[in-house]
Amino acid sequence: MEPITGKALVLACSAIGAGLAMIAGIGPGIGQGYAAGKGAEGVGRQPEAQGDIIRTMLLGAAVAETTGIYGLIIALVLLFANPLIKLL
Amino acid sequence: MENTNFIVTFLNWLLSFDKKALILGASAIGAGFAMIAGIGPGIGQGYAAGKGAEATSVNPKGSKHSTMIMLLGAGIAETSGILSLVIALILLFGNPLIKQDGDGLIIAVSAISAGIAMIAGIGPGIGQGYAAGKGCEAASINPDGSRPSTLVMLLGSAVAQTSGIFSLVIALILMYANPLVTGHQATIVVAASTLGAGIAMIAGIGPGVGQGYAAGKGTEATGRRPKYQSNIIKTMILGQAVAQTTGIYALVISLVLMFANPLVKLL
């Protein structure tokens, strides 16, 4: 195996960091699933309000998505626009 | 002679790298750790969204009002996610550690540790989201009492943020003023202490979730009986203060590890 350079170390750590950042996806997954469940329950109770219920559910779920997107952004930055490598 | 001690071999391998590369690599890992906090707001805001949908089905006429309360509460639940994002962005784009003098290994561990500390944000995110959900539930059941119950929601959520702020403080100290960085012999003990200071803060998950639960129940109770708002607030705050204790224990241990480390003196 070829010797590991400093650049290779930063890049390897960036790969680990990108993976760690994505763990955040646990949260939006659970939360939005709960919202979907409550939405289904709501439509079951009040079928004529389906449109309003879906609108509220999707609005709330979009807010719940944000931290997942933050994690994704950090992972994408680490992968495609790594600012650390320029500091070397 | 080849050293057979795995840790020594590993540390020697790490130290064979340029100090800068070591710190930058650790910063990438730290930024990744910080983002894990996003679990919290994700769960909490999803709960709020579910309660919002439920509120719409219970009281379709008041759905605009309960949606507003849901968004307000969800906005607050976002705080710890944003704090983590800020720490990650600082590590990536404005890294203060790279300019520091001192032991490269310890500075590198500071970056990872700052990220790990931010994981505590899971707690406030879940808790405040629960409070937000209870806020829209209260508004749909008793629209007249929604003003006092929203106030209780905001107050309780603010308290639930404390452990997230403790973590932020520790992360900022680790990045900008880690006292362990300079002038020590026992690198392994100091580096491990730095890591421990960050890991300790994960305890903040507990008070965050618990205080948020209290905030949610306080909101629910106020919505049902707005007249008793002050009694409810008093009970809620008292309980939240007790729930804060373990978060404070973690903060104390973290500060002791950094500023008055007794382990280094034993060597």
Side-chain angles (χ1 to χ4, degrees), chain A residues 4-6 10 13-14 17 20-21 24 27-28 31 34-35 38 41-42 45-46 52-53 56 59-60 63-64 66-67 70 83-84 87, chain B residues 13 17 20-21 24-25 28-29 32 35-36 38-39 41-43 45-47 49-50 52 54 56-58 67 70 78 91-93:
Chain A
I4 301 166
T5 61
V10 176
C13 289
S14 297
L20 285 171
Y34 178 84
K38 278 289 178 188
E41 192 185 312
R45 192 187 292 153
Q46 197 77 263
D52 286 329
I53 293 169
T56 309
L59 180 67
V63 177
T66 41
T67 52
Y70 295 167
L84 300 169
L87 292 174
Chain B
W13 173 73
F17 290 103
K20 247 184 174 176
L24 293 173
I29 294 178
M35 297 318 293
I36 294 178
I39 292 175
I43 295 179
Q45 292 167 341
Y47 178 82
E54 193 181 29
T56 304
S57 78
V58 169
T67 303
M70 175 187 89
E78 187 73 7
L91 282 168
L92 295 182
F93 292 98

Side-chain angles (χ1 to χ4, degrees), chain B residues 62-136:
Chain B
S63 96
K64 247 193 200 123
H65 190 55
S66 58
T67 303
M68 281 297 289
I69 295 174
M70 175 187 89
L71 288 178
L72 178 68
I76 294 171
E78 187 73 7
T79 337
S80 50
I82 291 175
L83 295 180
S84 303
L85 182 66
V86 167
I87 293 294
L89 290 176
I90 291 176
L91 282 168
L92 295 182
F93 292 98
N95 201 311
L97 295 164
I98 201 82
K99 296 163 211 132
Q100 283 181 23
D101 299 321
D103 193 300
L105 185 68
I106 297 167
I107 299 174
V109 171
S110 292
I112 296 178
S113 192
I116 291 177
M118 295 313 292
I119 294 177
I122 291 174
I126 295 178
Q128 292 166 339
Y130 178 80
K134 283 292 174 190
C136 29

Side-chain angles (χ1 to χ4, degrees), chain B residues 25 27 56 69 87 118 142 149 151-152 186 214 224 226 230 243 258:
Chain B
S27 297
T56 304
I69 295 174
I87 293 294
M118 295 313 292
N142 179 9
S149 67
L151 188 84
V152 175
R224 210 170 281 153
S230 66
M258 287 198 289

